Amino acid sequence: MNLKRVVVTGLGAITPIGNDVPTTWDNAVKGVSGAGPITHFDASKFKTQFACEVKNFNASDFFDRKELRKFDLYSQYAIVAAEQAIKEAGLETEGVDKNRVGVIFAAGIGGLHTFEEEAGYYALHPELGPKYSPFFIPKMIADIAAGHISMMHGFHGPNYGTVSACASSTNALIDAFNYIRLGMADVIVSGGAEAAIFPAGVGGFNSMHAISTRNDSPETASRPFSGSRDGFVMGEGSACLVLEDLDHALARGAKIYAEVIGGGMSADAYHITASHPEGLGAILVMQNALNDAGIKPEDVDYINVHGTSTPVGDISEVRAIKEVFGESAYKLNISSTKSMTGHLLGATGALEALFCVKSVEEDIVPPTINHEPDDLDENIDYNLNFTFGTAQKRTVNVAMSNTFGFGGHNACLVVKKFSGK
């Protein structure tokens, strides 16, 4: 089969470290932490009282009051990030066949805040009987962001959401990549969004002992690969990439950021929340991605790792990288941008794919922050280059993004510099 080549022609982001791509990328390169006290609700009685929230986001700048009745916060983030990417890619110009433009947009949870508000009312006041908004279900469901984006722009191509916990938006991008290279669409607007920093989200992760409780130092709480790490830091926001058939992009003179060359998927088949301790699923997903891309391990320059700052997960991912890459693992740059953005759950894969695209475009690797030289874990090989502390300039021809989700879902995307060949 003669597969089409797929390139990235637009980027958008609403994140804890910036409300657009330039600001987000600049702060990632500078090593800025997006963590701080929770403002979405009173978290004073929770074990964790901080998170990486989106800042200075005013919904009324983008939506009128009537529209806002239809949008959960996660959909608001998705729509705005997608708007940025669509505008940058020039998809609203004449000559773009909107019947050949799709939207595949992910969420790991979806409209959690809407669910809390609606279901909570009846739980608190059962004597008053059920009282639900007609917008309750369509605001809450995890596919609705894709629907809104397509309706707002008249895109009639493939349209749905993917749900695979923290791997959700990487799965969305892989699906988009495959549809385009198979010739089933010319362009797909793809990414993920999440907004779960509300009582049920924080309380639920607290009860699992999954998130950090370092309330005295939120900015340094996400510390992947450090000995004192105690869980991930919740994040929120959205990231969007416009994926496009290369010939289609060249014909309309679109800017090309990078080329998508492969995607891999696997399952741990091990535990509902914990990664396989030996990294078996992580090994398989990276091998699958390399095979799909048609490259060797030594061709990869940078891995944006899942690296959530959890005691078990960080160790298993390092083991997997060493198994897959062998001696070339020591020539790689590895970094966890979650140390700055927190963990955006269903949106994290898209954001980290965006960072990979920017890395190959600008030849710079963003850092893993919050590591102290004497804060070590005997199970982690510190001869690997984790890009601790500060960004590093280097040629990045090929970058890989790992995402692993509850349920054992693993997904990996590979991008490279666009050379035109």
Side-chain angles (χ1 to χ4, degrees):
M1 182 179 292
N2 187 21
L3 297 176
K4 295 178 177 291
R5 292 171 65 184
V6 180
V7 293
V8 180
T9 57
L11 301 171
I14 298 289
T15 78
I17 58 173
N19 290 350
D20 53 42
V21 173
T23 306
T24 295
W25 177 241
D26 184 58
N27 283 330
V29 171
K30 290 177 179 176
V32 174
S33 172
I38 291 172
T39 65
H40 287 337
F41 69 98
D42 180 2
S44 60
K45 294 182 180 179
F46 285 72
K47 292 178 182 178
T48 296
Q49 299 166 11
F50 63 93
C52 287
E53 294 181 335
V54 169
K55 300 158 189 69
N56 303 314
F57 180 83
N58 188 350
S60 62
D61 291 341
F62 306 100
F63 311 104
D64 62 35
R65 290 182 63 186
K66 186 176 181 180
E67 285 181 310
L68 277 175
R69 296 174 60 203
K70 299 182 290 184
F71 305 142
D72 183 86
L73 184 58
Y74 101 93
S75 290
Q76 295 172 34
Y77 291 155
I79 292 165
V80 175
E83 183 70 31
Q84 294 174 10
I86 290 164
K87 182 178 180 180
E88 186 182 57
L91 296 184
E92 296 287 14
T93 58
E94 289 188 20
V96 175
D97 181 359
K98 293 188 176 182
N99 289 335
R100 300 276 300 169
V101 180
V103 183
I104 304 176
F105 226 84
I109 298 176
L112 183 63
H113 184 45
T114 295
F115 185 86
E116 280 192 342
E117 287 186 323
E118 294 286 338
Y121 179 86
Y122 180 67
L124 291 172
H125 306 287
E127 73 282 359
L128 299 178
K131 182 181 179 182
Y132 293 95
S133 164
F135 295 113
F136 171 33
I137 299 300
K139 279 178 71 175
M140 177 198 72
I141 51 180
D143 69 299
I144 200 64
H148 284 308
I149 294 164
S150 69
M151 287 183 275
M152 289 178 167
H153 296 278
F155 297 150
H156 293 281
N159 181 263
Y160 60 91
T162 55
V163 179
S164 50
C166 305
S168 296
S169 52
T170 303
N171 279 127
L173 291 166
I174 292 171
D175 281 6
F177 169 58
N178 284 328
Y179 274 119
I180 295 169
R181 67 175 173 171
L182 289 170
M184 299 173 70
D186 295 330
V187 184
I188 295 186
V189 178
S190 188
E194 206 78 90
I197 305 173
F198 292 101
V202 176
F205 283 121
N206 264 155
S207 68
M208 297 167 57
H209 305 286
I211 55 177
S212 173
T213 56
R214 199 179 293 272
N215 293 313
D216 58 338
S217 184
E219 295 82 4
T220 67
S222 183
R223 47 182 66 197
F225 311 113
S226 294
S228 61
R229 65 192 185 280
D230 69 330
F232 71 84
V233 176
M234 288 186 70
E236 63 173 358
S238 178
C240 179
L241 287 74
V242 174
L243 272 56
E244 186 165 355
D245 169 17
L246 172 60
D247 292 335
H248 188 270
L250 292 174
R252 64 187 193 89
K255 175 180 178 177
I256 295 174
Y257 281 98
E259 183 172 359
V260 182
I261 59 171
M265 294 173 282
S266 76
D268 277 4
Y270 171 72
H271 190 271
I272 57 172
T273 58
S275 57
H276 193 285
E278 300 302 320
L280 297 186
I283 291 168
L284 182 59
V285 77
M286 287 187 281
Q287 290 173 334
N288 289 343
L290 292 170
N291 291 339
D292 189 48
I295 61 174
K296 299 176 181 178
E298 55 266 31
D299 295 326
V300 178
D301 301 297
Y302 168 48
I303 305 177
N304 188 303
V305 293
H306 191 56
T308 55
S309 189
T310 55
V312 174
D314 288 8
I315 294 171
S316 62
E317 187 170 12
V318 169
R319 288 174 176 165
I321 289 169
K322 292 178 67 176
E323 176 67 24
V324 172
F325 289 89
E327 287 303 310
S328 64
Y330 298 94
K331 300 175 183 178
L332 290 165
N333 271 79
I334 296 165
S335 75
S336 172
T337 46
K338 289 183 181 72
S339 58
M340 297 171 283
T341 66
H343 191 350
L344 273 66
L345 308 177
T348 203
L351 179 56
E352 290 158 15
L354 186 155
F355 286 148
C356 285
V357 167
K358 293 298 291 181
S359 289
V360 301
E361 181 194 22
E362 299 190 6
D363 286 325
I364 190 166
V365 175
T368 304
I369 66 169
N370 298 328
H371 177 74
E372 298 295 333
D374 60 349
D375 187 10
L376 305 179
D377 181 334
E378 63 181 9
N379 297 297
I380 290 177
D381 184 352
Y382 292 101
N383 291 312
L384 296 169
N385 184 358
F386 291 101
T387 322
F388 284 135
T390 57
Q392 294 181 14
K393 291 287 290 182
R394 68 165 290 170
T395 300
V396 184
N397 289 315
V398 178
M400 171 183 283
S401 175
N402 284 342
T403 45
F404 312 140
F406 284 178
H409 314 301
N410 306 309
C412 178
L413 192 75
V414 185
V415 300
K416 75 169 187 176
K417 282 189 190 303
F418 173 68
S419 65
K421 298 180 181 179

